[in-house]
Structures are given as C-alpha cells and as structure tokens.
Amino acid sequence: MKKIIPTVFLFTLLTGCQSAYYAAWEKVGVEKRDIMVDRVEDAKESQEDAQQQFSDALEQFTHLMNYDGGELQDVYEELKDQYEESNQAAAEVTKRINKVESVADALFDEWETELDKYTNDGLRRESASKLKDTQRRYASLVKSMRKAEAKMDPVLSALQDNVLYLKHNLNATAIGALQSEFNGVKNDINQLIAEMNNAIKESNAFISSMRD
C-alpha cells in the first residue's frame, strides 16, 4: 500500500523550501542581500532578452505587412514562431520578478526582526534608516518592473490574434485586413520597450546602491 503524504505536511514542506535554501547559502557566506542582487540582475537580463525578442516579433510583423509575393505559409510560420518565443520570454520575465520579490520579502522580514536585537540605540536607528531607504528603492524598482511586465500582455494578445487569423485566412487579402492592426501592435511594442528601458535603468541603479 502506497504511503500518502498528508496535505498539511506537503504544504509545510513546500513553503519551507525557500527558508532552507537561504539557510544553506548563508552557511557558505552568501547572504539574502547577495541573492537579491543576483536575482535583480537575472530579472534585468530577462527584460533585455524580452526587449530583443519583441523587437524581432515587430520586425517579422513588418515583413508580413510588406509581403509582395512568395510562399505565404513560410511568412506565417515565422510570425507564429516569433509569437511563441515572445510568450516564452514574457513568462521568463514574470518568473524572474517573482523570484526577486520572494528574496526581498525574506530579507526585509529578517532585517525588521533583527532590529530588536540591537543593544546600541544609535546603530539600531542607523540600520532602521537604511532598511527604510532600501525598501523605498526596492518598491520603486518592482513598480517599474511590473509596469513593464503589464505591457507585455496586450502585445502577446494582439500577436496571438493575428497569428490565429492568418492561420485560417492564409492569403494576401487577409494581410491587407491586418494592416489596421499593425500600427496598434507597433505602438504597443514601442511602449513596452520604453517601459523595459526604464525598468532596466532602475535595476542598474538598485544593484549599484546595494553593492555600495
């Protein structure tokens, strides 16, 4: 008879993984602060990759709008591939931001708790002040990241709609019908890239401040 892990035990096991992960790193001298910086860097890199991917998707969409003959199936397949790769890039951005938030929550909780351990009031006040400043800069960073992230969904939806439409209407007339959609997609992608630039700048500034 198979042993079934109780739901409560499984939940405890899953929720305790992060604590065990951080504890393991701390034993070899890597603090939550270091992990946070690494994860912000990872999130920044995923945004840079997504920027390039959405730019590639726009380039392919532009190529489609300029279609002047040739194998239309190939053009459709390329746009479909660009959509799927954009979807994957967006998912990676979200995953990386979530990981930043996870370690930030752990770091700030620990920092708050350890303020009560000070016996020197001056050092405690200084540490509390640094905590508030770090939280303020972090809040600005995550807001910028999430703002850029939110711009991805409308673009992905538009790309998906166009890919689906072409799939079932693979002819030159269909391309003409999508012309009105193109300008909207182009504008959305340009706005997305601009927001990601802001988030990347925020990331660089936050990383620099944490290292200083």
Side-chain angles (χ1 to χ4, degrees):
M1 183 177 180
K2 293 182 179 180
K3 293 182 179 179
I4 300 175
I5 299 176
T7 302
V8 175
F9 175 75
L10 181 59
F11 177 77
T12 303
L13 181 65
L14 291 173
T15 55
C17 285
Q18 284 296 325
S19 296
Y21 174 83
Y22 298 136
W25 277 111
E26 286 173 0
K27 287 181 180 179
V28 294
V30 180
E31 300 294 334
K32 294 181 182 70
R33 181 188 187 94
D34 304 314
I35 296 172
M36 185 176 183
V37 170
D38 285 344
R39 290 188 178 180
V40 172
E41 286 184 326
D42 289 342
K44 182 191 74 169
E45 289 173 2
S46 72
Q47 288 177 319
E48 290 170 340
D49 291 342
Q51 268 190 321
Q52 184 59 56
Q53 178 52 50
F54 279 103
S55 292
D56 291 345
L58 177 58
E59 183 178 346
Q60 184 57 41
F61 200 180
T62 302
H63 178 60
L64 175 67
M65 291 300 98
N66 294 330
Y67 172 77
D68 59 356
E71 185 54 60
L72 189 54
Q73 179 68 31
D74 292 341
V75 180
Y76 158 74
E77 291 291 345
E78 289 175 4
L79 182 62
K80 179 174 174 286
D81 289 344
Q82 290 296 335
Y83 161 69
E84 291 174 350
E85 290 175 16
S86 296
N87 210 16
Q88 292 172 3
E92 186 66 18
V93 168
T94 296
K95 183 177 78 172
R96 295 295 184 180
I97 297 174
N98 289 343
K99 293 185 75 171
V100 169
E101 290 186 327
S102 175
V103 70
D105 289 343
L107 172 63
F108 294 143
D109 285 347
E110 179 183 71
W111 201 337
E112 288 273 9
T113 300
E114 291 180 344
L115 288 176
D116 295 332
K117 297 181 179 181
Y118 280 94
T119 58
N120 184 306
D121 289 341
L123 292 178
R124 179 178 56 77
R125 284 193 297 271
E126 183 179 346
S127 183
S129 176
K130 288 182 178 179
L131 169 58
K132 288 183 179 179
D133 182 59
T134 304
Q135 287 174 318
R136 176 186 58 76
R137 286 184 282 104
Y138 165 75
S140 177
L141 168 66
V142 170
K143 181 179 179 181
S144 180
M145 284 182 168
R146 291 299 188 189
K147 187 176 181 181
E149 178 196 26
K151 294 286 186 181
M152 293 190 293
D153 283 343
V155 173
L156 290 171
S157 294
L159 288 175
Q160 178 179 251
D161 287 347
N162 283 283
V163 167
L164 289 173
Y165 183 79
L166 280 175
K167 179 180 180 180
H168 300 290
N169 301 275
L170 203 56
N171 53 62
T173 302
I175 293 176
L178 294 179
Q179 188 67 51
S180 61
E181 300 288 326
F182 173 70
N183 290 334
V185 173
K186 181 179 180 180
N187 184 57
D188 287 346
I189 291 179
N190 286 334
Q191 287 184 16
L192 167 60
I193 291 173
E195 289 296 346
M196 282 191 167
N197 277 330
N198 291 334
I200 290 167
K201 289 178 182 177
E202 287 262 10
S203 298
N204 286 330
F206 184 83
I207 291 167
S208 178
S209 67
M210 291 291 281
R211 285 176 173 163
D212 290 342

Coordinates of all heavy atoms in Angstrom, one line a residue, residues 76-156:
Y76 N 4.0 33.1 -42.5 CA 3.1 32.8 -41.4 C 3.8 32.0 -40.3 O 3.7 32.4 -39.1 CB 1.8 32.1 -41.8 CG 1.2 31.3 -40.7 CD1 0.4 31.9 -39.7 CD2 1.3 29.9 -40.6 CE1 -0.2 31.2 -38.7 CE2 0.7 29.2 -39.6 CZ 0.0 29.8 -38.7 OH -0.6 29.1 -37.6
E77 N 4.5 31.0 -40.7 CA 5.3 30.2 -39.7 C 6.3 31.0 -38.9 O 6.5 30.8 -37.7 CB 6.0 29.0 -40.5 CG 5.0 28.0 -41.0 CD 4.3 27.1 -40.0 OE1 4.8 27.2 -38.8 OE2 3.3 26.5 -40.3
E78 N 6.9 31.9 -39.6 CA 7.9 32.7 -38.9 C 7.3 33.7 -37.9 O 7.8 33.8 -36.8 CB 8.7 33.5 -40.0 CG 9.7 32.7 -40.8 CD 10.3 33.5 -41.9 OE1 10.1 34.7 -42.0 OE2 11.1 32.9 -42.7
L79 N 6.1 34.2 -38.3 CA 5.4 35.1 -37.3 C 4.9 34.2 -36.1 O 5.0 34.7 -35.0 CB 4.2 35.8 -38.0 CG 3.5 36.7 -37.1 CD1 4.3 37.9 -36.6 CD2 2.2 37.3 -37.8
K80 N 4.4 33.1 -36.4 CA 4.0 32.2 -35.3 C 5.1 31.8 -34.4 O 5.0 31.8 -33.2 CB 3.4 30.9 -36.0 CG 2.9 29.8 -35.0 CD 2.3 28.7 -35.7 CE 1.9 27.5 -34.8 NZ 3.1 26.8 -34.3
D81 N 6.3 31.6 -34.9 CA 7.5 31.3 -34.1 C 7.9 32.5 -33.2 O 8.2 32.3 -32.1 CB 8.7 30.9 -35.0 CG 8.5 29.5 -35.6 OD1 7.7 28.7 -35.2 OD2 9.3 29.2 -36.6
Q82 N 7.8 33.6 -33.8 CA 8.1 34.9 -33.1 C 7.1 35.1 -31.9 O 7.5 35.5 -30.8 CB 8.1 36.1 -34.0 CG 9.2 36.1 -35.0 CD 10.6 36.3 -34.3 OE1 10.7 36.7 -33.2 NE2 11.6 35.8 -35.0
Y83 N 5.8 34.8 -32.2 CA 4.8 34.9 -31.1 C 5.2 33.9 -30.0 O 5.1 34.3 -28.8 CB 3.4 34.6 -31.6 CG 2.5 34.3 -30.5 CD1 2.1 35.3 -29.6 CD2 2.0 33.0 -30.4 CE1 1.2 34.9 -28.6 CE2 1.1 32.7 -29.3 CZ 0.7 33.6 -28.4 OH -0.1 33.3 -27.4
E84 N 5.5 32.7 -30.3 CA 5.7 31.7 -29.3 C 7.0 32.0 -28.5 O 7.0 31.8 -27.2 CB 5.9 30.3 -29.9 CG 4.5 29.8 -30.5 CD 4.7 28.5 -31.3 OE1 5.8 28.1 -31.6 OE2 3.7 27.9 -31.6
E85 N 8.0 32.5 -29.2 CA 9.2 32.9 -28.5 C 9.0 34.1 -27.6 O 9.6 34.2 -26.5 CB 10.3 33.1 -29.5 CG 10.8 31.9 -30.2 CD 11.8 32.1 -31.3 OE1 12.4 33.3 -31.3 OE2 12.1 31.2 -32.1
S86 N 8.1 35.0 -28.0 CA 7.8 36.2 -27.2 C 7.0 35.8 -26.0 O 7.2 36.3 -24.9 CB 6.9 37.2 -28.0 OG 7.7 37.7 -29.1
N87 N 6.2 34.8 -26.1 CA 5.4 34.3 -25.0 C 6.3 33.7 -24.0 O 6.2 33.9 -22.7 CB 4.4 33.2 -25.5 CG 3.2 33.1 -24.6 OD1 2.9 34.0 -23.9 ND2 2.4 32.1 -24.8
Q88 N 7.3 32.9 -24.4 CA 8.3 32.3 -23.5 C 9.1 33.4 -22.8 O 9.4 33.3 -21.6 CB 9.2 31.4 -24.3 CG 8.5 30.1 -24.8 CD 9.3 29.3 -25.7 OE1 10.5 29.6 -26.0 NE2 8.8 28.2 -26.3
A89 N 9.5 34.4 -23.6 CA 10.3 35.5 -23.0 C 9.6 36.2 -21.9 O 10.1 36.6 -20.8 CB 10.8 36.5 -24.1
A90 N 8.3 36.4 -22.2 CA 7.4 37.1 -21.2 C 7.3 36.3 -19.9 O 7.3 36.8 -18.8 CB 6.0 37.4 -21.8
A91 N 7.1 35.0 -20.1 CA 7.0 34.1 -18.9 C 8.3 34.1 -18.1 O 8.2 34.1 -16.8 CB 6.7 32.7 -19.4
E92 N 9.4 34.2 -18.7 CA 10.7 34.3 -18.0 C 10.8 35.6 -17.2 O 11.3 35.6 -16.1 CB 11.8 34.1 -19.0 CG 13.2 34.0 -18.4 CD 13.4 32.7 -17.6 OE1 12.6 31.8 -17.8 OE2 14.3 32.7 -16.7
V93 N 10.4 36.7 -17.8 CA 10.4 37.9 -17.1 C 9.6 37.9 -15.8 O 10.0 38.3 -14.7 CB 9.9 39.1 -18.0 CG1 9.6 40.4 -17.2 CG2 10.8 39.4 -19.1
T94 N 8.4 37.3 -15.9 CA 7.5 37.2 -14.8 C 8.1 36.3 -13.7 O 8.1 36.6 -12.5 CB 6.1 36.6 -15.2 OG1 5.5 37.5 -16.1 CG2 5.2 36.4 -14.0
K95 N 8.7 35.2 -14.1 CA 9.3 34.3 -13.2 C 10.5 35.0 -12.4 O 10.6 34.8 -11.2 CB 9.8 33.0 -13.9 CG 10.5 32.0 -13.0 CD 10.9 30.8 -13.8 CE 12.2 31.0 -14.5 NZ 12.8 29.8 -15.1
R96 N 11.2 35.7 -13.1 CA 12.4 36.4 -12.5 C 12.0 37.5 -11.5 O 12.6 37.6 -10.5 CB 13.3 37.0 -13.6 CG 13.9 36.0 -14.5 CD 14.9 35.1 -13.8 NE 15.6 34.2 -14.7 CZ 16.5 33.3 -14.4 NH1 16.9 33.2 -13.1 NH2 17.1 32.5 -15.3
I97 N 10.9 38.2 -11.9 CA 10.4 39.2 -11.0 C 9.9 38.6 -9.7 O 10.1 39.1 -8.6 CB 9.3 40.1 -11.6 CG1 9.9 40.9 -12.8 CG2 8.8 41.1 -10.6 CD1 8.9 41.6 -13.6
N98 N 9.1 37.5 -9.9 CA 8.6 36.8 -8.7 C 9.7 36.3 -7.8 O 9.6 36.4 -6.5 CB 7.8 35.6 -9.2 CG 6.5 36.0 -9.8 OD1 6.0 37.1 -9.7 ND2 5.9 35.0 -10.6
K99 N 10.8 35.9 -8.3 CA 12.0 35.4 -7.5 C 12.6 36.6 -6.8 O 13.1 36.5 -5.6 CB 13.0 34.7 -8.4 CG 12.5 33.4 -8.9 CD 13.5 32.6 -9.7 CE 14.5 32.0 -8.8 NZ 15.5 31.1 -9.5
V100 N 12.6 37.8 -7.4 CA 13.1 39.0 -6.7 C 12.3 39.3 -5.5 O 12.7 39.6 -4.4 CB 13.2 40.2 -7.7 CG1 13.4 41.5 -6.9 CG2 14.2 40.0 -8.8
E101 N 10.9 39.3 -5.7 CA 10.0 39.6 -4.6 C 10.1 38.6 -3.5 O 10.0 38.9 -2.3 CB 8.6 39.6 -5.2 CG 8.3 40.8 -6.1 CD 6.9 40.9 -6.5 OE1 6.2 39.8 -6.6 OE2 6.4 42.0 -6.7
S102 N 10.4 37.3 -3.8 CA 10.5 36.3 -2.8 C 11.7 36.5 -1.9 O 11.5 36.5 -0.7 CB 10.6 34.9 -3.5 OG 10.9 33.9 -2.5
V103 N 12.8 36.8 -2.5 CA 14.0 37.0 -1.6 C 13.9 38.4 -0.9 O 14.4 38.5 0.2 CB 15.3 36.9 -2.4 CG1 15.5 38.0 -3.4 CG2 16.5 36.8 -1.5
A104 N 13.3 39.3 -1.5 CA 13.1 40.6 -0.9 C 12.3 40.5 0.4 O 12.6 41.1 1.4 CB 12.5 41.6 -1.9
D105 N 11.2 39.8 0.3 CA 10.3 39.6 1.4 C 11.1 38.9 2.6 O 11.0 39.3 3.7 CB 9.1 38.7 1.1 CG 8.1 39.4 0.2 OD1 8.2 40.6 0.1 OD2 7.3 38.7 -0.5
A106 N 11.9 37.9 2.2 CA 12.7 37.2 3.3 C 13.7 38.1 3.9 O 13.9 38.1 5.1 CB 13.4 36.0 2.6
L107 N 14.4 38.9 3.0 CA 15.4 39.8 3.5 C 14.8 40.9 4.4 O 15.4 41.2 5.5 CB 16.1 40.5 2.3 CG 17.1 41.7 2.7 CD1 18.2 41.2 3.5 CD2 17.6 42.4 1.4
F108 N 13.7 41.5 4.0 CA 13.2 42.6 4.8 C 12.6 42.1 6.1 O 12.6 42.8 7.2 CB 12.1 43.4 4.0 CG 12.7 44.1 2.8 CD1 12.0 44.2 1.6 CD2 13.9 44.7 2.9 CE1 12.6 44.9 0.6 CE2 14.5 45.4 1.9 CZ 13.8 45.5 0.7
D109 N 12.0 40.9 6.1 CA 11.5 40.3 7.3 C 12.6 40.1 8.3 O 12.4 40.3 9.5 CB 10.7 39.0 7.0 CG 9.4 39.2 6.4 OD1 8.9 40.3 6.4 OD2 8.8 38.2 5.8
E110 N 13.7 39.5 7.8 CA 14.8 39.2 8.7 C 15.4 40.5 9.2 O 15.7 40.6 10.4 CB 15.9 38.5 7.9 CG 17.2 38.2 8.7 CD 18.2 37.5 7.8 OE1 18.8 38.2 6.9 OE2 18.4 36.3 7.9
W111 N 15.5 41.5 8.4 CA 16.1 42.8 8.8 C 15.2 43.5 9.9 O 15.7 44.0 10.9 CB 16.1 43.7 7.6 CG 17.1 44.9 7.7 CD1 17.6 45.5 8.8 CD2 17.7 45.6 6.6 NE1 18.5 46.5 8.5 CE2 18.6 46.6 7.1 CE3 17.6 45.5 5.2 CZ2 19.3 47.5 6.3 CZ3 18.3 46.3 4.4 CH2 19.2 47.3 4.9
E112 N 13.9 43.4 9.7 CA 13.0 44.0 10.7 C 13.1 43.3 12.0 O 13.2 43.9 13.1 CB 11.5 43.9 10.2 CG 11.2 44.8 9.0 CD 10.7 46.1 9.5 OE1 10.8 46.4 10.7 OE2 10.2 46.9 8.6
T113 N 13.2 42.0 12.0 CA 13.3 41.2 13.2 C 14.6 41.5 14.0 O 14.6 41.6 15.2 CB 13.2 39.7 12.9 OG1 12.0 39.4 12.2 CG2 13.3 38.8 14.1
E114 N 15.7 41.6 13.2 CA 17.0 41.8 13.8 C 17.2 43.2 14.4 O 18.1 43.4 15.2 CB 18.1 41.4 12.8 CG 18.1 40.0 12.5 CD 19.2 39.6 11.5 OE1 19.7 40.5 10.9 OE2 19.5 38.4 11.4
L115 N 16.3 44.1 14.1 CA 16.4 45.5 14.7 C 16.2 45.4 16.2 O 16.8 46.2 16.9 CB 15.4 46.4 14.0 CG 15.6 46.9 12.6 CD1 14.5 47.7 12.1 CD2 16.9 47.7 12.5
D116 N 15.3 44.5 16.6 CA 15.1 44.3 18.0 C 16.2 43.7 18.8 O 16.2 43.7 20.0 CB 13.8 43.4 18.2 CG 12.6 44.1 17.7 OD1 12.5 45.3 17.6 OD2 11.6 43.4 17.3
K117 N 17.2 43.2 18.1 CA 18.3 42.6 18.8 C 19.5 43.5 19.2 O 20.4 43.2 19.9 CB 18.9 41.4 17.9 CG 17.9 40.3 17.6 CD 18.5 39.2 16.8 CE 17.6 38.1 16.5 NZ 18.2 37.0 15.7
Y118 N 19.4 44.7 18.6 CA 20.4 45.7 18.9 C 20.3 46.2 20.4 O 19.2 46.4 21.0 CB 20.2 47.0 18.1 CG 20.8 46.8 16.6 CD1 20.0 46.5 15.6 CD2 22.1 47.1 16.4 CE1 20.4 46.3 14.3 CE2 22.6 47.0 15.1 CZ 21.8 46.6 14.0 OH 22.3 46.5 12.8
T119 N 21.5 46.4 21.0 CA 21.6 47.0 22.3 C 22.0 48.4 22.2 O 21.8 49.2 23.1 CB 22.5 46.2 23.2 OG1 23.8 46.1 22.6 CG2 22.0 44.8 23.4
N120 N 22.6 48.8 21.1 CA 23.1 50.1 20.8 C 22.0 50.9 20.0 O 21.8 50.5 18.9 CB 24.4 50.1 20.0 CG 25.1 51.4 19.8 OD1 24.4 52.3 19.3 ND2 26.3 51.6 20.2
D121 N 21.4 51.9 20.7 CA 20.3 52.6 20.0 C 20.7 53.3 18.8 O 20.0 53.4 17.8 CB 19.7 53.6 21.0 CG 18.9 52.9 22.1 OD1 18.6 51.7 21.9 OD2 18.7 53.5 23.2
G122 N 21.9 53.8 18.8 CA 22.4 54.6 17.6 C 22.6 53.7 16.4 O 22.2 54.0 15.3
L123 N 23.2 52.5 16.6 CA 23.3 51.5 15.5 C 22.0 51.0 15.0 O 21.8 50.8 13.8 CB 24.2 50.4 15.9 CG 25.7 50.7 16.2 CD1 26.4 49.5 16.7 CD2 26.3 51.3 15.0
R124 N 21.0 50.8 16.0 CA 19.7 50.3 15.6 C 19.0 51.4 14.7 O 18.4 51.0 13.7 CB 18.9 50.0 16.8 CG 17.5 49.6 16.5 CD 16.7 49.2 17.7 NE 16.6 50.4 18.6 CZ 15.8 51.4 18.5 NH1 15.0 51.5 17.4 NH2 15.8 52.4 19.4
R125 N 19.1 52.7 15.1 CA 18.4 53.7 14.3 C 19.0 53.8 12.9 O 18.3 54.0 11.9 CB 18.5 55.1 15.0 CG 17.6 55.2 16.2 CD 17.5 56.7 16.7 NE 18.8 57.1 17.2 CZ 19.2 57.0 18.4 NH1 18.4 56.5 19.3 NH2 20.4 57.5 18.8
E126 N 20.4 53.7 12.9 CA 21.0 53.7 11.6 C 20.6 52.6 10.7 O 20.3 52.8 9.5 CB 22.5 53.7 11.7 CG 23.3 53.9 10.4 CD 24.8 53.8 10.6 OE1 25.3 54.0 11.8 OE2 25.5 53.7 9.6
S127 N 20.5 51.4 11.3 CA 20.1 50.2 10.5 C 18.7 50.4 10.0 O 18.3 50.0 8.9 CB 20.3 49.0 11.3 OG 20.0 47.8 10.6
A128 N 17.8 50.9 10.9 CA 16.4 51.1 10.6 C 16.2 52.1 9.4 O 15.4 51.9 8.6 CB 15.6 51.5 11.8
S129 N 17.1 53.1 9.5 CA 17.0 54.1 8.4 C 17.5 53.5 7.1 O 16.8 53.8 6.0 CB 18.0 55.3 8.8 OG 18.0 56.2 7.7
K130 N 18.5 52.7 7.1 CA 19.0 52.0 5.9 C 17.9 51.0 5.3 O 17.7 50.9 4.1 CB 20.3 51.3 6.1 CG 21.5 52.2 6.3 CD 22.8 51.4 6.5 CE 23.9 52.4 6.6 NZ 25.2 51.7 6.9
L131 N 17.2 50.4 6.3 CA 16.2 49.5 5.9 C 15.1 50.2 5.1 O 14.6 49.8 4.0 CB 15.6 48.8 7.1 CG 14.3 47.9 6.9 CD1 14.5 46.9 5.8 CD2 13.8 47.3 8.2
K132 N 14.6 51.3 5.7 CA 13.6 52.1 5.0 C 14.0 52.6 3.7 O 13.2 52.6 2.7 CB 13.1 53.3 5.9 CG 12.4 52.8 7.2 CD 11.9 54.0 8.0 CE 11.1 53.6 9.2 NZ 10.7 54.8 10.0
D133 N 15.2 53.0 3.6 CA 15.7 53.5 2.3 C 15.8 52.4 1.2 O 15.4 52.6 0.1 CB 17.1 54.1 2.5 CG 17.7 54.7 1.2 OD1 17.1 55.6 0.6 OD2 18.8 54.3 0.8
T134 N 16.3 51.2 1.7 CA 16.3 50.1 0.8 C 14.9 49.7 0.3 O 14.7 49.4 -0.9 CB 17.1 48.9 1.4 OG1 18.4 49.3 1.9 CG2 17.2 47.7 0.5
Q135 N 14.0 49.7 1.3 CA 12.6 49.3 0.9 C 12.0 50.3 -0.1 O 11.3 49.9 -1.0 CB 11.8 49.2 2.2 CG 12.1 48.0 3.1 CD 11.3 48.1 4.4 OE1 11.2 49.1 5.0 NE2 10.8 46.9 4.8
R136 N 12.3 51.6 0.1 CA 11.8 52.6 -0.8 C 12.3 52.4 -2.2 O 11.6 52.4 -3.2 CB 12.2 54.0 -0.3 CG 11.8 55.1 -1.2 CD 12.3 56.5 -0.7 NE 13.8 56.5 -0.6 CZ 14.6 56.6 -1.6 NH1 14.1 56.7 -2.8 NH2 15.9 56.6 -1.4
R137 N 13.6 52.2 -2.3 CA 14.2 52.0 -3.6 C 13.8 50.7 -4.2 O 13.5 50.6 -5.5 CB 15.8 52.0 -3.5 CG 16.3 53.4 -3.3 CD 17.8 53.4 -3.3 NE 18.4 52.9 -2.0 CZ 19.0 51.8 -1.8 NH1 19.0 50.9 -2.8 NH2 19.4 51.4 -0.7
Y138 N 13.6 49.7 -3.4 CA 13.1 48.4 -3.9 C 11.6 48.5 -4.4 O 11.3 48.0 -5.5 CB 13.1 47.3 -2.8 CG 12.3 46.1 -3.1 CD1 12.8 45.1 -4.0 CD2 11.1 45.9 -2.5 CE1 12.0 44.0 -4.3 CE2 10.3 44.8 -2.8 CZ 10.8 43.8 -3.7 OH 10.0 42.7 -4.0
A139 N 10.8 49.2 -3.7 CA 9.4 49.4 -4.1 C 9.4 50.1 -5.5 O 8.5 49.8 -6.3 CB 8.7 50.3 -3.1
S140 N 10.2 51.1 -5.7 CA 10.3 51.8 -7.0 C 10.8 50.9 -8.1 O 10.2 50.9 -9.2 CB 11.3 53.0 -6.9 OG 11.4 53.6 -8.1
L141 N 11.7 50.0 -7.8 CA 12.2 49.0 -8.7 C 11.1 48.1 -9.2 O 10.9 47.9 -10.4 CB 13.4 48.3 -8.1 CG 13.9 47.0 -8.9 CD1 14.5 47.4 -10.2 CD2 14.9 46.2 -8.1
V142 N 10.5 47.5 -8.2 CA 9.4 46.5 -8.5 C 8.3 47.1 -9.3 O 7.7 46.5 -10.2 CB 8.9 45.7 -7.3 CG1 7.7 44.9 -7.6 CG2 10.1 44.9 -6.7
K143 N 7.9 48.3 -8.9 CA 6.8 49.0 -9.6 C 7.2 49.2 -11.1 O 6.4 49.0 -11.9 CB 6.6 50.4 -8.9 CG 5.5 51.2 -9.6 CD 5.3 52.5 -8.9 CE 4.2 53.3 -9.6 NZ 3.9 54.6 -8.9
S144 N 8.4 49.6 -11.3 CA 8.9 49.8 -12.7 C 8.9 48.4 -13.4 O 8.5 48.4 -14.6 CB 10.3 50.4 -12.7 OG 10.8 50.6 -14.0
M145 N 9.4 47.4 -12.8 CA 9.4 46.1 -13.4 C 8.0 45.6 -13.8 O 7.7 45.1 -14.9 CB 10.1 45.0 -12.5 CG 11.6 45.1 -12.4 SD 12.2 43.8 -11.3 CE 14.0 44.0 -11.7
R146 N 7.1 45.7 -12.8 CA 5.7 45.2 -13.0 C 5.0 46.1 -14.1 O 4.2 45.6 -14.8 CB 4.9 45.3 -11.7 CG 5.4 44.2 -10.7 CD 5.2 42.8 -11.2 NE 5.4 41.8 -10.1 CZ 5.5 40.5 -10.3 NH1 5.4 40.1 -11.5 NH2 5.7 39.7 -9.3
K147 N 5.3 47.4 -14.1 CA 4.7 48.2 -15.1 C 5.1 47.8 -16.5 O 4.3 47.7 -17.5 CB 5.1 49.7 -14.9 CG 4.4 50.7 -15.8 CD 4.8 52.1 -15.5 CE 4.1 53.1 -16.3 NZ 4.4 54.5 -16.0
A148 N 6.4 47.4 -16.7 CA 6.9 46.9 -18.0 C 6.2 45.6 -18.3 O 5.8 45.3 -19.4 CB 8.4 46.8 -18.0
E149 N 6.2 44.7 -17.3 CA 5.6 43.4 -17.4 C 4.1 43.5 -17.9 O 3.7 42.7 -18.8 CB 5.6 42.7 -16.1 CG 5.0 41.3 -16.1 CD 4.7 40.8 -14.7 OE1 4.5 41.6 -13.8 OE2 4.6 39.5 -14.6
A150 N 3.4 44.4 -17.4 CA 2.0 44.6 -17.7 C 1.8 45.0 -19.2 O 0.7 44.7 -19.8 CB 1.3 45.6 -16.8
K151 N 2.8 45.6 -19.8 CA 2.7 46.0 -21.2 C 2.9 44.8 -22.1 O 2.5 44.9 -23.3 CB 3.9 47.0 -21.5 CG 3.7 48.3 -20.8 CD 2.6 49.2 -21.4 CE 2.6 50.6 -20.8 NZ 1.6 51.4 -21.3
M152 N 3.3 43.7 -21.6 CA 3.6 42.5 -22.5 C 2.3 41.8 -22.9 O 2.1 41.3 -24.0 CB 4.5 41.5 -21.8 CG 5.9 42.0 -21.6 SD 7.1 40.7 -21.1 CE 6.5 40.4 -19.4
D153 N 1.3 41.7 -21.9 CA 0.1 41.0 -22.2 C -0.7 41.5 -23.4 O -1.2 40.7 -24.3 CB -0.8 41.0 -21.0 CG -0.3 40.0 -19.9 OD1 0.5 39.1 -20.3 OD2 -0.8 40.1 -18.7
P154 N -0.9 42.9 -23.5 CA -1.6 43.4 -24.7 C -0.9 43.0 -26.0 O -1.6 42.7 -27.0 CB -1.7 44.9 -24.5 CG -1.6 45.1 -23.0 CD -0.6 44.0 -22.6
V155 N 0.4 43.1 -26.0 CA 1.2 42.8 -27.2 C 1.0 41.3 -27.5 O 0.8 40.9 -28.7 CB 2.7 43.1 -27.0 CG1 3.5 42.6 -28.2 CG2 2.9 44.6 -26.8
L156 N 1.1 40.4 -26.5 CA 1.0 39.0 -26.8 C -0.4 38.7 -27.3 O -0.5 37.8 -28.2 CB 1.3 38.2 -25.5 CG 2.8 38.2 -25.0 CD1 2.9 37.6 -23.6 CD2 3.6 37.5 -26.0

